[in-house]
Amino acid sequence: MTSNFFDPAAALPREARRFWWLAAIAGAAYALALRGAPYADQGIAKVLLCALLLFAALYHRVPRERVWLCAALILSGAGDVLLASPTLAQGFILGLGAFLLAHLAYFVLFWRLRRPWAKVPGWHRVAIVLVWAAAALAYAMYWPGMGELKAPVACYVIVLAMMASAALLADLPGEWAAVGALLFTVSDALIGTTRFVGPIVAQEYAIWILYALAQLMLAAGILAVRPADLSQPGETYVRRD
């Protein structure tokens, strides 16, 4: 199956496509609703993106990957709700923890699909180096404003870089997962900047749009039908662990 970067839904299993598009619509609707934030039931509106992607994930044809993808989306949804609850005293810390676990789930999924370094595309190799350099630079930039959160944020930054690196190493069709992982790192970097450094113009919109695109692209990259899926049911391609 050929892949068109600008039409990721076309590569998905037919049953998953409707939920992927509904998730995209929900993400766009939430972005438009941000001008009225905060508002009642904001957490519910925010979690619709991951909830609808979860329904799409249920149609993934590789059972073990399906488990990790569903776990990543459930944990991401929990993080969305926690970060959208400003009245919750520990909302930021709990949200950070939920997303850390989500990144770990994505990492495990991608790491199982890793390819030898010699077969990794050139721009993926460069991106991996830049991800770790940017992670170190971002942490240094956050340092003065982190206070007692230095250790938790360090763990989060490392796990986020691990996830992005694993996505860039993964042997998946198209570039959706790789781009999605990079967008996730940028979105999270903006959250860290606004939290520990200072506000950014239109920060809520930038953070959400990059995040929503990241989740959509990650799901598309993982769910995309692979040649092996068309010939045999279940887990049909070679594992590398």
Side-chain angles (χ1 to χ4, degrees):
M1 176 179 291
T2 59
S3 59
N4 179 354
F5 180 81
F6 296 102
D7 188 13
L12 305 186
R14 180 175 55 83
E15 304 87 350
R17 291 175 196 166
R18 72 190 75 175
F19 291 109
W20 190 92
W21 279 115
L22 286 172
I25 293 169
Y30 183 80
L32 292 174
L34 280 173
R35 59 185 176 182
Y39 53 86
D41 300 326
Q42 183 177 349
I44 296 174
K46 190 176 186 181
V47 81
L48 281 177
L49 169 73
C50 286
L52 289 164
L53 286 177
L54 179 62
F55 280 106
L58 295 176
Y59 292 101
H60 189 30
R61 299 179 181 183
V62 187
R64 196 176 299 181
E65 288 180 24
R66 183 168 62 238
V67 170
W68 289 110
L69 176 57
C70 288
L73 290 169
I74 290 169
L75 289 163
S76 294
D80 286 335
V81 173
L82 290 166
L83 292 178
S85 305
T87 57
L88 187 63
Q90 297 297 318
F92 179 79
I93 299 300
L94 295 173
L96 192 74
F99 273 111
L100 184 145
L101 294 175
H103 290 315
L104 282 174
Y106 274 129
F107 169 78
V108 173
L109 192 162
F110 290 132
W111 188 249
R112 297 178 63 84
L113 298 172
R114 68 191 183 278
R115 50 192 152 183
W117 183 255
K119 295 184 178 180
V120 176
W123 84 265
H124 287 220
R125 300 185 201 182
V126 173
I128 289 171
V129 174
L130 292 177
V131 162
W132 286 96
L137 180 62
Y139 188 75
M141 184 174 64
Y142 302 157
W143 181 270
M146 284 190 293
E148 297 179 352
L149 296 178
K150 289 183 174 65
V153 173
C155 291
Y156 189 91
V157 169
I158 291 170
V159 170
L160 178 61
M162 288 169 53
M163 183 279 291
S165 299
L168 289 159
L169 290 172
D171 188 6
L172 287 168
E175 300 286 1
W176 301 302
V179 173
L182 293 175
L183 291 176
F184 218 140
T185 63
V186 177
S187 177
D188 280 1
L190 289 177
I191 292 176
T193 301
T194 60
R195 175 82 182 191
F196 302 121
V197 180
I200 300 172
V201 177
Q203 59 194 38
E204 297 88 353
Y205 294 96
I207 290 168
W208 175 257
I209 290 170
L210 290 169
Y211 167 75
L213 288 173
Q215 292 284 24
L216 289 164
M217 298 292 271
L218 285 169
I222 296 165
L223 291 171
V225 176
R226 303 160 209 173
D229 295 336
L230 303 177
S231 58
Q232 302 178 44
E235 295 188 62
T236 57
Y237 54 90
V238 177
R239 297 289 181 184
R240 295 184 174 84
D241 53 346

